[in-house]
Amino acid sequence: MSRPIRIGVQLQPQHAPKYGLIRDAVRRAEDAGVDIVFNWDHFYPLSGDPVGAHFECWTMLAAFAEQTERVEIGALVTGGGYRNPELLADMARTVDHISDGRLILGIGAGWFQKDYHEYGYEFGTAGSRLNLLKESLPRLTARLKKLNPQPTREIPILIGGGGERKTLRLVAEYADIWHSFADLRSLRHKNEVLAGHAAAIGADPSRIERSVPWPGAEQAPAFIEQGVGLFTVGVSGPDYDFGELERAIRWRDEVNPEQVSGLA
């Protein structure tokens, strides 16, 4: 493995009527040894009561940044049409500084129609949302280079999605991490498509970390064979049950090579 296996947790900010429940889950996740704490960028729950309790993504990430010390943080993923890309770049830079360089900037085209209609964004079509993402990414990356002060590091960009013609082309050009919901058979094919897009622009596809939802310890090794290095366990409020997350962390510690101190 060229990279150590990492385990993320997505703390889905739904059905938690008090923010303290989420704050406690963040603390427990970092104490448990997780590598990344994600939330998501929606305005309404995706399961259960459709108008249940819910909190906003990026203000929450600033709180994550201030609360934590070790874990990386980010959205899995930001809705590409919800914020002006220059503003999003400035928000990301600010959270990057608050966290001392632990932000991952996750972004995708968006898909949840209720978010768009209730908050006054144009839903359009899957194609128009992807076109908007294509237009936004160069604006976002350009603004990051203009900000004063600059980000503390080159903020890793995570792109979520699996469209072979448009999304994977953007992954090849802009992403440090690619998050996919593909099954094993589809992932093999999409890896080939991504490699083709990378070759067309002279990029190295091996630099892009592959990310998928946690499939369980039995299936995870097969995903590693397809280049996956980041697995994320999703948990919902109000309880934020970490049973499966703790199993994933124990599995990670068994499969990662041991670090030998004192060796270069």
Side-chain angles (χ1 to χ4, degrees):
M1 294 179 291
S2 59
R3 301 182 180 93
I5 301 301
R6 302 198 291 168
I7 296 294
V9 62
Q10 185 189 55
L11 300 178
Q12 300 162 0
Q14 59 179 8
H15 308 307
K18 295 181 179 181
Y19 180 73
L21 296 170
I22 299 175
R23 183 188 300 113
D24 179 66
V26 172
R27 177 191 58 77
R28 291 191 288 121
E30 185 164 52
D31 288 349
V34 75
D35 296 295
I36 307 170
V37 177
F38 292 111
N39 60 7
W40 68 25
D41 190 20
H42 294 288
F43 306 123
Y44 290 92
L46 299 187
S47 62
D49 181 357
V51 293
H54 203 282
F55 288 101
E56 192 275 331
C57 169
W58 273 89
T59 45
M60 188 185 311
L61 286 176
F64 286 9
E66 189 66 36
Q67 175 186 351
T68 57
E69 296 181 354
R70 177 188 56 80
V71 294
E72 289 189 293
I73 58 174
L76 192 62
V77 290
T78 304
Y82 297 160
R83 298 166 189 84
N84 170 286
E86 285 79 11
L87 173 61
L88 179 59
D90 204 342
M91 294 165 64
R93 181 278 308 262
T94 300
V95 175
D96 165 71
H97 273 265
I98 296 170
S99 68
D100 291 326
R102 293 181 288 113
L103 177 73
I104 294 171
L105 205 176
I107 192 167
W111 63 273
F112 190 43
Q113 190 171 11
K114 185 180 179 68
D115 285 343
Y116 288 82
H117 286 178
E118 292 286 345
Y119 277 65
Y121 299 110
E122 181 180 353
F123 185 60
T125 65
S128 68
R129 294 192 298 277
L130 280 165
N131 287 338
L132 181 60
L133 179 64
K134 180 180 179 180
E135 295 169 4
S136 295
L137 282 166
R139 291 171 57 184
L140 187 155
T141 54
R143 178 57 55 181
L144 285 170
K145 296 176 182 177
K146 296 177 181 179
L147 293 169
N148 182 16
Q150 281 281 286
T152 66
R153 65 170 178 170
E154 187 171 335
I155 300 173
I157 293 177
L158 179 155
I159 294 179
E164 295 179 11
R165 187 168 63 90
K166 293 183 177 181
T167 303
L168 292 185
R169 172 63 177 76
L170 296 174
V171 170
E173 183 171 359
Y174 292 100
D176 301 285
I177 307 170
W178 167 42
H179 185 77
S180 169
F181 290 92
D183 60 23
L184 270 173
R185 181 177 180 180
S186 180
L187 184 61
R188 293 187 188 99
H189 171 68
K190 290 180 185 294
N191 269 328
E192 294 174 357
V193 173
L194 177 58
H197 284 306
I201 61 173
D204 178 8
S206 67
R207 70 173 180 80
I208 302 169
E209 185 175 17
R210 271 63 164 180
S211 166
V212 298
W214 171 243
E218 292 185 358
Q219 292 293 320
F223 280 89
I224 292 175
E225 291 178 2
Q226 296 305 312
V228 173
L230 171 57
F231 297 95
T232 297
V233 180
V235 294
S236 179
D239 298 330
Y240 295 105
D241 182 348
F242 282 3
E244 188 60 31
L245 176 63
E246 290 167 350
R247 285 187 284 273
I249 291 170
R250 288 195 296 270
W251 170 86
R252 176 205 63 190
D253 293 344
E254 292 173 357
V255 300
N256 272 339
E258 292 185 9
Q259 295 183 350
V260 179
S261 62
L263 297 181

